[in-house]
Each structure stands twice: as C-alpha cells, then as structure tokens.
C-alpha cells in the first residue's frame, strides 16, 4: 500500500522555491470555498491591490495567472507579440533563451542581444539593436537573472524601449519583493513574476501586470491569441474589476489564500524594509564566504542580494558538497546552470529564507562540508565575519 507523503523540513537556499512561512502554509490549509463565492471574489480584489503594491503600479490589469512563472512569461509574449513582429531579446543567462523560444513560437522574429553569463544586459548593445532594427516593436529582458545572480538596469532598459516606440516585456520572477522594482515609474509594459522566489509563497502562481499601452496593443490585435488559457481578453472577464465575473477557469482557491497571506506579510514588513533585509543578509553572507576564502562569481555592483553565485573552489566536487548539505544538514543550495554547471553554486536568500539564521546556518554547514571534503579554506573565519557584519549594522 502506498502511504501518505511526509517531506522532510528542508532549508531552501537555492534558486527557488524558497522557504515558505508557516503563516502561508497555514493559510493554504483553510477550508476551500467556491471560486465564485462572494467572499472569494472579495479576496481576489484584495490580491489585486496587494499585487499592485508589490509591483508599485496602478495598472488595472494586474492579476495572478494560475500557473508558474513560465506561464506568466508565455502570457506576456502571446498577448503582446503577433506573427511578423520583430522583438529584441536580451540574453545573459538561461531565461533570455526561453524568451527567444516564446517569440519564435508566436511567429515573430527574435533579434538577440547577447551578453556573457555573469554580466548584465549591455545598454549600448540594446541601443545598437534598435538602431539596426527600427521595425522592432518590443524589447524583452530579465531584470534578475537567477541562473547567474546578475541584476540588469531595468529602469534604463524600459526607457530605451519607450524612446524607440517599443513595449517592454520584463521578467521579474526573482526580483519582485527582493530588489527595487517600480513598474509605473520605470514605464514597464508587460511584467511577470513568480510566487516561489522572494514572495516565499508556494510555487505555481505567476503575478502579472500590463500597462495601458500593453492593454491597447492586446485590444487592437488582428489575430486571436494562440493560447486560449492565457488570452488576457478572456482572463480579464474573470479577474476584471467590474460587476459580474465570467467563469474562465477554476482559480486555485487555496493557492490564492497562500498568495494573499504572503502579500499581507510583505505589506506588514513594507517593501523598503524587505529590500534592506535582503541587502543586509546578502552582505553578511558574502563577508562570511570571502572570509572562508571563497570568491563570488559576479562583480559586486551587479550582484543580486537574493541569489549569490559563488565560485566552487578548485578540486572540490560540486555534487558531493550539495548532497552532503542536503543529506546531513537538510540544506538545499543551487547548482550552476548551463556553462556555469560545476563552476558555481547559487545560494538563495529569498523572501522568508533571507534571514540571519539562514546566513549563519549555511556558512556553518558549508564550512563543515568543505573541511570534510579536504578543501583548503580558512577554518572558523566565516561565522565571525558574518556576525561582525550583523552586529555592525
Ligand atoms: C524561476 C524563474 C522563471 C520560471 O518560473 P517557474 O515558476 O519555474 O516557471 C522564469 N524566470 C526567472 C528569472 C526565474 O528565476
């Protein structure tokens, strides 16, 4: 007989999902009600308001797509991009490659602007691409590249798109609630995120927001959106603010209780305070890692506080270390992706998991495992360095 599944209590310090707060898990287990129940409709309105706060936007079309971040990505592309369009796609890690796939599957042409993994998107290259392709009507880029731990200048990229009469599609899956993100001030047009990174909610929901310019483009499409499920004109009838909600699909009722709770927690803390907390824990972690003798993979000015890429010391077996952390310490950190596989670890400090406790725990576990692996590190240096950082603040 197959029996119930009881997962272990891990500490999730990889590229996501991140640790989910007990408050959010508690909300998830509340009684399921109908998705057209008047009380649920009220909850949907509150979620919309809370998401507008998280995204710093007044966009009317702001809602959670009932599917993971990748579906939010696809929703932005299939609604904004039509066959024959030219889209400038920035790639400096894994996720830009997926954007290209999306553009091509929409029957459009992707003009690629490539930067090395570990570097931010080059504004000069994007400007040059617009100069070479005046027909381009969309710019797509990733704000926080989770595969490398790099932040790109989203504000400047959105401005470049506007200056060239293009709409911007912005991946904020890892940036939302972790680093500054100002959808309205920056003039971002189609923005998608995920719930399992810095919101520390369960995986499987994708908050999105569309500017008025994006809505106008969607409404003036000549061809139907090829995806029925992600067609915003239809989804709007369900999530739209007014009067009667039309059935589109059954919302993941309990998942949305969880999202609501995580957004309430974000509001209680305040966005600015959340950013400060992410910065502080990041600096303490880096201080500890460097004191241990490890080096960071990304230049200081481009680092994401929520995703720390660390160079794996020579002679150390990547997989051994990660499995020892998991098996002996219940601690998950991320492997490198693509060209960085075997070369870097990715240590997440996202949302609820971005805590002093996790910084100190991770440094302790990593030091123990690396010592056992015979790596030449400075023993006993990491904790004091991190602690000095915490007490110095
Ligand atoms: C995690 C992630 C995604 C994909 O989100 P899923 O929820 O896994 O579909 C997209 N973009 C970035 C930058 C991410 O970090």
């Amino acid at each position: 007989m197959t029996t119930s599944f009881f997962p272990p209590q891990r500490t999730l310090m990889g590229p996501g999902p991140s640790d989910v707060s007990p408050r959010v898990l508690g909300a998830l287990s509340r009684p399921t009600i109908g998705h057209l129940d008047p009380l649920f409709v009220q909850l949907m309105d509150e979620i919309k308001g809370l998401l507008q706060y998280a995204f710093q936007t007044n966009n009317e079309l702001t809602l959670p797509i009932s599917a993971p971040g990748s579906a939010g990505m696809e929703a932005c592309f299939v609604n904004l991009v039509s066959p024959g369009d030219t889209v400038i796609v920035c790639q400096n890690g894994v996720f830009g490659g997926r954007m290209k796939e999306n553009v091509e599957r929409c029957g459009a042409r992707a003009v690629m602007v490539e930067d090395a993994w570990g570097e931010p998107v080059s504004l000069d290259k994007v400007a040059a691409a617009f100069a070479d392709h005046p027909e381009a009507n969309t710019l797509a880029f990733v704000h926080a590249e989770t595969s490398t731990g790099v932040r790109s200048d989203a504000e400047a990229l959105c401005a470049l798109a506007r200056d060239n009469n293009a709409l911007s599609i912005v991946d904020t899956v890892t940036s939302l609630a972790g680093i500054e993100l100002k959808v309205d001030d920056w003039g971002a047009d189609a923005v998608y995120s995920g719930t399992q990174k810095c919101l520390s909610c369960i995986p499987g929901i994708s908050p999105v927001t569309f500017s008025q310019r994006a809505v106008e483009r969607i409404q003036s499409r000549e061809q139907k959106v090829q995806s029925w499920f992600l067609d915003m004109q239809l989804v709007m009838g369900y999530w739209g603010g007014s009067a009667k909600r039309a059935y589109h699909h059954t919302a993941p009722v309990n998942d949305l209780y969880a999202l609501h709770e995580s957004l309430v927690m974000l509001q209680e803390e305040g966005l600015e305070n959340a950013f400060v907390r992410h910065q502080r824990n990041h600096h303490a972690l880096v201080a500890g890692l460097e004191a241990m003798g490890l080096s960071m993979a990304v230049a200081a000015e481009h680092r994401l506080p929520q995703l720390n890429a660390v160079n794996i010391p020579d002679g150390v077996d990547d997989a051994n270390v990660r499995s020892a952390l998991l098996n002996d310490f219940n601690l998950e950190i991320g492997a490198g992706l693509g060209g960085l596989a075997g070369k870097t670890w990715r240590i997440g400090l996202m949302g609820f998991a971005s805590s002093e406790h996790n910084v100190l725990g991770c440094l302790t576990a990593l030091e123990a495992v690396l010592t056992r692996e015979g790596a030449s590190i400075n023993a006993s240096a990491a904790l004091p360095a991190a602690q000095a950082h915490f007490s110095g603040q």
Side-chain angles (χ1 to χ4, degrees):
M1 261 254 281
T2 306
T3 56
S4 305
F5 178 65
F6 292 100
Q9 185 70 57
R10 307 273 203 220
T11 299
L12 301 178
M13 297 179 70
S18 61
D19 284 342
V20 179
S21 143
R23 265 181 73 175
V24 172
L25 291 176
L28 192 63
S29 66
R30 289 176 196 148
T32 304
I33 60 176
H35 73 119
L36 296 174
D37 187 308
L39 289 176
F40 189 71
V41 171
Q42 251 178 45
L43 179 88
M44 289 166 78
D45 285 338
E46 287 188 16
I47 289 174
K48 180 172 164 183
L50 290 162
L51 283 178
Q52 286 171 326
Y53 168 67
F55 277 124
Q56 294 284 286
T57 183
N58 292 316
N59 287 341
E60 192 49 38
L61 188 54
T62 302
L63 58 102
I65 302 259
S66 306
S70 304
M73 176 188 284
E74 190 143 346
C76 289
F77 283 93
V78 296
N79 283 279
L80 259 62
V81 180
S82 292
D85 284 357
T86 298
V87 179
I88 297 178
V89 176
C90 307
Q91 181 168 18
N92 60 337
V94 166
F95 293 99
R98 294 191 179 181
M99 290 178 148
K100 176 172 189 269
E101 270 291 319
N102 271 278
V103 168
E104 289 170 351
R105 285 171 192 233
C106 292
R109 173 168 177 228
V111 171
M112 299 305 291
V113 169
E114 296 186 42
D115 283 288
W117 289 39
E119 295 289 333
V121 172
S122 154
L123 300 176
D124 290 343
K125 287 186 193 171
V126 172
F130 272 119
D132 289 348
H133 297 277
E135 76 283 10
N137 66 2
T138 310
L139 170 70
F141 66 92
V142 179
H143 183 200
E145 230 327 326
T146 325
S147 61
T148 61
V150 167
R151 177 205 309 238
S152 288
D153 188 344
E155 182 175 13
L157 287 164
C158 289
L160 261 177
R162 297 209 146 215
D163 291 347
N164 288 281
N165 281 320
L167 298 192
S168 49
I169 296 180
V170 188
D171 180 319
T172 66
V173 176
T174 285
S175 54
L176 183 71
I179 52 173
E180 184 174 75
L181 168 61
K182 296 189 167 186
V183 167
D184 284 2
D185 286 359
W186 296 353
D189 292 301
V191 182
Y192 61 92
S193 191
T195 44
Q196 78 277 29
K197 315 251 169 148
C198 295
L199 285 178
S200 277
C201 185
I202 54 164
I205 315 172
S206 178
V208 295
T209 185
F210 294 88
S211 72
Q212 194 49 42
R213 297 199 312 164
V215 170
E216 280 158 19
R217 183 185 287 180
I218 295 170
Q219 284 170 340
S220 63
R221 284 181 66 97
E222 282 166 14
Q223 263 157 313
K224 275 188 179 176
V225 169
Q226 72 259 29
S227 163
W228 176 85
F229 185 68
L230 296 174
D231 183 341
M232 280 301 138
Q233 305 243 41
L234 303 177
V235 176
M236 270 183 245
Y238 186 45
W239 271 93
S242 62
K244 227 172 125 44
R245 291 191 197 244
Y247 167 63
H248 177 259
H249 66 280
T250 308
V253 171
N254 292 59
D255 292 10
L256 292 179
Y257 299 164
L259 175 60
H260 181 269
E261 191 71 18
S262 68
L263 291 167
V264 165
M265 287 176 68
L266 178 65
Q267 190 190 48
E268 284 170 4
E269 181 177 20
L271 267 182
E272 288 300 325
N273 292 334
F275 300 155
V276 169
R277 176 170 52 84
H278 279 88
Q279 277 298 338
R280 197 171 84 114
N281 292 320
H282 160 69
H283 287 303
L285 179 75
V286 171
L289 293 169
E290 290 182 341
M292 208 188 289
L294 302 183
S295 65
M296 304 303 291
V298 173
E301 65 272 27
H302 305 309
R303 283 177 200 157
L304 292 171
Q306 62 273 56
L307 203 281
N308 300 271
V310 189
N311 292 314
I312 301 176
D314 285 342
V316 169
D317 188 291
D318 169 26
N320 275 358
V321 170
R322 282 184 296 105
S323 59
L325 289 173
L326 192 66
N327 297 326
D328 302 344
F329 293 89
N330 267 320
L331 172 63
E332 178 181 282
I333 66 167
L337 278 184
L340 300 174
K343 294 187 182 143
T344 63
W345 289 311
R346 292 178 301 150
I347 304 180
L349 284 171
M350 295 181 177
F352 184 67
S354 180
S355 65
E356 186 168 333
H357 170 265
N358 278 356
V359 168
L360 300 177
C362 175
L363 290 170
T364 306
L366 196 57
E367 180 175 307
V369 171
L370 286 175
T371 304
R372 199 171 61 199
E373 285 285 306
S376 63
I377 55 164
N378 306 321
S380 312
L383 271 196
Q387 273 161 333
H389 192 86
F390 283 128
S391 53
Q393 297 286 307

